[in-house]
Amino acid sequence: MSKKIIIGPFKQLLTMNKLPVKGALSDDELEIIAAGGILIEGEKIVEVGDFSSLKEKWSDAAEVITLTDDYIALPGYVDCHTHIAFGGNRANDFAMRNAGSSYLKIAEAGGGIWNTVRDTRGLSEEELAQVTSLRADELLKQGITTIEVKSGYGLSVDEELKTLRAIQKASKDTNAELISTCLAAHTFPKDFDGSPEEYLKEIMDRLFPIIKEEKLSNRVDAFVEQSAFSAEQTLPYFELAKSMGFDITIHADQFSTSGSKLAVDLKAVSADHLEASGEKEIAMLADSDVVAVALPAASLGIGCPFTPARKLLDAGASLAIATDWNPGSAPMGMLVESASILATMDKLSNAEVLSAITFRAAHALNLKDRGRLVPGQLADFVIYKTDNYQNITYFQGGLKPQEVWKSGKKVV
Ligand code: NIG
Ligand code: FE
């Protein structure tokens, strides 16, 4: 039997208990336990409640960690959309966009993602694993205990495999949990000898079976956009992935619509970006179980409108927020910062923001075992030295975690 630990008292323990997965939320719906404590056994939470009562009930059987200042705790954050397995830097893209070019123009002129593909192919599997785990550690310090990581800068069967294997390796070198996604359909590789359809066919025939065999990922993504692949082109790719048991997630409606409809039709777990989504797309998403994922750091990186988060929530959709950390559109890699900026620009409640980076983000990854501090969930939590949870978004990322716990262990 593993050791039991009681930690507390927390001035405020935000459990996220009972909050629904879909729709708008107000702050008075948050369950906040005053003078709260958490009882952990092994990787899991056994009980949460009043610290003194927990101590009374369990102190014979548990180690007690007593906090003597004002601290708050909430579930470990989940970053459900990143591209941190990359080589190189695209600072010049940022400068070019600000000098009058655009994300799509740079891509159409042969730069953008393709430049990162060249730099990523130049790294060995070991080197790629190393940069990935270092970035994961940066995210972990922000309180992010689960990190989705996409491939997509390999763009050939061998290079995508290298990336997915590097992500698997990286996950052994970081205390954060990495969830990998195959994004072989990120853009059409210029050096492929054939059509986009033939490229996707090769990925389906040759890459998907190896991913299954080596258990490299159970998620498949595509960038459905003018500079990448159309909804029609990706339909057979997604249909096969689904029939093989992969979860589907889509880069949808970033500049033009069509991806979100595909996500709804395919019952994808999430549709991410949605900056270009209008009333029709919002209604469609709200009517489905697809989690809408806002990526405010990409809007800040590109200088384009934010995902209509307020409208999505008011229509009844589930909203998650992620960093999209990548070298092109979102080099910032800061979750609380970018989520707090979205909150102030789009008028989101604290309950909506914190749900979007905890259990709703976990939902976007089809993970039901984390994101709330309740018995049975993983003991993943963030501790801040403050007396009021509102300070998290108020300081827009300026308040840093004091401690981060992953699966019952203090890792930061
Ligand atoms: O989510 N939009 C497509 N993919 C990434 C950007 C990738 C890149 O520009 O390197 C995104 O924004
Ligand atoms: Fe992305």
Side-chain angles (χ1 to χ4, degrees):
M1 238 174 59
S2 354
K3 179 177 83 166
K4 289 190 180 67
I5 302 172
I6 301 170
I7 180 164
F10 294 101
K11 184 101 180 163
Q12 297 179 330
L13 189 59
L14 259 76
T15 65
M16 312 310 279
N17 192 16
K18 296 196 185 109
L19 295 171
V21 170
K22 292 179 70 177
L25 297 168
S26 65
D27 290 351
D28 55 17
E29 291 175 75
L30 286 168
E31 178 179 84
I32 302 175
I33 304 176
I38 309 172
L39 172 67
I40 304 163
E41 182 173 2
E43 300 194 327
K44 301 263 178 73
I45 296 169
V46 177
E47 206 172 315
V48 292
D50 177 68
F51 179 68
S52 307
S53 317
L54 280 181
K55 256 197 340 190
E56 225 164 88
K57 186 167 159 198
W58 294 99
S59 62
D60 287 348
E63 174 195 346
V64 181
I65 300 176
T66 308
L67 305 169
T68 51
D69 234 315
D70 284 347
Y71 292 96
I72 63 153
L74 74 165
Y77 301 135
V78 175
D79 189 348
C80 65
H81 182 139
T82 86
H83 305 249
I84 58 173
F86 67 84
N89 165 296
R90 303 234 300 275
N92 196 47
D93 285 16
F94 185 74
M96 275 162 62
R97 285 197 298 273
N98 293 345
S101 189
S102 75
Y103 187 83
L104 287 177
K105 273 192 212 155
I106 293 170
E108 273 151 23
I113 292 175
W114 188 248
N115 279 335
T116 303
V117 170
R118 272 202 296 257
D119 289 334
T120 306
R121 286 183 180 176
L123 298 182
S124 66
E125 187 178 307
E126 194 53 54
E127 289 167 331
L128 188 55
Q130 208 181 349
V131 294
T132 304
S133 69
L134 288 175
R135 292 185 187 117
D137 286 344
E138 287 305 309
L139 294 173
L140 185 64
K141 282 187 225 151
Q142 299 175 29
I144 303 165
T145 44
T146 302
I147 306 167
E148 187 259 14
V149 187
K150 299 175 194 297
S151 68
Y153 295 119
L155 303 190
S156 69
V157 172
D158 289 347
E159 290 291 330
E160 284 293 305
L161 274 177
K162 179 186 91 182
T163 308
L164 291 166
R165 288 175 183 143
I167 297 168
Q168 198 172 58
K169 246 190 204 142
S171 73
K172 300 194 172 80
D173 290 329
T174 175
N175 285 311
E177 189 172 335
L178 306 187
I179 306 291
S180 63
T181 303
C182 169
L183 176 57
H186 200 183
T187 193
F188 175 61
K190 295 201 286 193
D191 60 346
F192 182 79
D193 188 17
S195 65
E197 288 78 5
E198 285 164 339
Y199 169 69
L200 292 179
K201 182 87 173 58
E202 178 155 306
I203 294 299
M204 290 152 65
D205 292 347
R206 293 189 43 221
L207 182 61
F208 285 0
I210 307 177
I211 295 178
K212 279 275 154 196
E213 205 179 287
E214 292 187 25
K215 296 189 171 50
L216 290 170
S217 175
N218 57 17
R219 297 165 40 86
V220 165
D221 192 351
F223 185 17
V224 177
E225 192 48 66
Q226 281 154 24
S227 64
F229 296 97
S230 69
E232 296 71 41
Q233 283 168 332
T234 53
L235 185 62
Y237 162 92
F238 280 133
E239 277 176 339
L240 177 69
K242 227 181 134 86
S243 75
M244 291 175 76
F246 289 104
D247 281 339
I248 305 301
T249 174
I250 304 186
H251 278 71
D253 298 6
Q254 187 178 12
F255 303 104
S256 57
T257 53
S258 76
S260 53
K261 178 166 190 314
L262 188 62
V264 171
D265 289 348
L266 287 163
K267 296 191 170 26
V269 288
S270 76
D272 305 33
H273 273 292
L274 309 172
E275 294 89 336
S277 300
E279 301 301 332
K280 198 174 82 200
E281 288 75 27
I282 291 169
M284 223 165 24
L285 287 162
D287 206 33
S288 77
D289 288 325
V290 179
V291 180
V293 181
L295 306 167
S299 300
L300 293 165
I302 291 180
C304 73
F306 288 107
T307 301
R310 178 75 268 142
K311 286 187 177 168
L312 281 157
L313 286 165
D314 287 343
S318 181
L319 181 87
I321 304 174
T323 63
D324 195 19
W325 190 358
N326 75 75
S329 62
M332 179 195 248
M334 292 173 149
L335 185 61
V336 174
E337 286 79 348
S338 55
S340 306
I341 292 169
L342 180 66
T344 186
M345 298 310 287
D346 221 10
K347 304 300 164 226
L348 307 183
S349 68
N350 278 307
E352 287 165 342
V353 173
L354 298 176
S355 298
I357 59 178
T358 56
F359 68 95
R360 287 181 170 179
H363 213 81
L365 298 176
N366 208 359
L367 298 173
K368 312 281 157 62
D369 61 349
R370 66 198 73 191
R372 304 186 199 255
L373 298 181
V374 298
Q377 291 257 298
L378 286 171
D380 296 355
F381 51 95
V382 196
I383 300 175
Y384 289 94
K385 191 169 184 194
T386 185
D387 59 355
N388 178 2
Y389 79 91
Q390 291 177 316
N391 284 329
I392 299 172
T393 51
Y394 167 63
F395 285 115
Q396 298 179 309
L399 180 70
K400 307 290 180 204
Q402 182 78 16
E403 290 182 17
V404 181
W405 288 61
K406 170 69 192 137
S407 299
K409 291 203 181 78
K410 180 173 175 284
V411 290
V412 173

